[in-house]
Amino acid sequence: MTLESQSRSLRGVYGISVMSELSGVGPQTLRLYERRGLLTPTRTDGGTRRYSESDLGTLARITALIDDGVNLVGIRLILSLEAENSILAARIAQLSESADGQA
């Protein structure tokens, strides 16, 4: 994924009603997930929530975990660990490239 497409996937473009329609998750549930720290939509200057493609992917992951019987506290922990693993994997790849360049 290029830097531009990654940036675009993080840009909040969907309002809560569109996000609800795209995901099949009700607006109240989306607000609950935000209060619990599972989703962090951006806000406009007026305070309107704006969800991104990345948020849509996170919501799909949340839905899958709920379907597997995981509670919201567990989901928050799983999402946190997955994010940490992604960061560490990127760092390992960066270090491997650096080591390959020196060899």
Side-chain angles (χ1 to χ4, degrees):
M1 181 180 292
T2 66
L3 186 58
E4 181 181 333
S5 64
Q6 184 180 17
S7 171
R8 196 176 350 190
S9 75
L10 298 175
R11 188 177 314 133
V13 293
Y14 305 123
I16 195 165
S17 60
V18 174
M19 183 67 156
S20 177
E21 188 175 320
L22 288 172
S23 66
V25 175
Q28 291 293 10
T29 304
L30 292 171
R31 290 182 187 101
L32 171 69
Y33 292 167
E34 183 181 2
R35 282 194 307 273
R36 297 292 177 94
L38 301 177
L39 287 174
T40 51
T42 58
R43 298 276 183 150
T44 64
D45 291 338
T48 303
R49 291 171 179 85
R50 291 288 178 211
Y51 295 91
S52 66
E53 287 292 326
S54 178
D55 292 327
L56 193 57
T58 300
L59 186 55
R61 181 70 176 128
I62 291 167
T63 302
L65 290 167
I66 287 172
D67 290 345
D68 288 341
V70 180
N71 65 23
L72 296 182
V73 173
I75 291 171
R76 188 173 61 221
L77 180 58
I78 289 168
L79 293 177
S80 174
L81 290 171
E82 288 175 347
E84 188 176 333
N85 282 343
S86 293
I87 292 167
L88 292 172
R91 181 69 177 138
I92 289 169
Q94 183 183 39
L95 290 172
S96 292
E97 288 175 13
S98 177
D100 289 343
Q102 292 178 357

